[in-house]
Amino acid sequence: MSTPADCRACGACCFSDSPTYVRLLGDDWSLLGPEAERWAWFEANRAYLRMEAGHCAALAWSHDPGSGAVRFHCSIYDRRPTLCRELGRGSPECEAERERKQAEVLRRVTA
Ligand code: SF4
Ligand code: SF4
């Protein structure tokens, strides 16, 4: 499975059924600014991104009207948390995410 040239063609690492999938670290909450409570929630003293329907609540996607290809979009890209910033496209962690999730992700967004 070759690494896509653009994360917008993939989205795999933004999918999970775990409500505590993306932990907010350090200044991540502050970085989200006034919208922090829209995108994040607390469990005890730990903050996480909200998840809904098996993916991060900040993830959106659309279908290219010409090709029909799916294009993913992070609604908070400039303010995305540390964990998202540190997951480099093409890294072993990225490859593992794609290997585990890509087929199911494509099934979900094209169903
Ligand atoms: S970092 Fe990897 S798994 Fe995440 S969207 Fe980009 S290509 Fe997909
Ligand atoms: S904040 Fe953006 S990059 Fe991070 S999991 Fe959510 S949609 Fe994906």
Side-chain angles (χ1 to χ4, degrees), residues 14-74:
C14 306
F15 281 75
S16 173
D17 290 321
S18 169
T20 57
Y21 180 58
V22 183
R23 172 103 183 263
L24 300 184
L25 306 171
D27 293 331
D28 290 341
W29 181 278
S30 304
L31 188 62
L32 286 170
E35 287 192 323
E37 293 196 15
R38 173 181 175 189
W39 300 115
W41 66 288
F42 269 95
E43 183 178 69
N45 63 345
R46 294 184 171 190
Y48 303 91
L49 281 183
R50 292 188 189 283
M51 305 294 289
E52 56 185 38
H55 58 81
C56 172
L59 183 71
W61 62 84
S62 60
H63 294 81
D64 182 272
S67 66
V70 183
R71 298 294 283 172
F72 293 95
H73 172 74
C74 173

Side-chain angles (χ1 to χ4, degrees), residues 3-4 6-7 10-14 87-90 94-95 97-98 102:
T3 305
D6 188 336
C7 286
C10 174
C13 60
C14 306
L87 204 164
R89 183 166 50 81
C94 159
E95 296 299 311
E97 287 290 281
R98 292 173 50 246
Q102 191 76 91

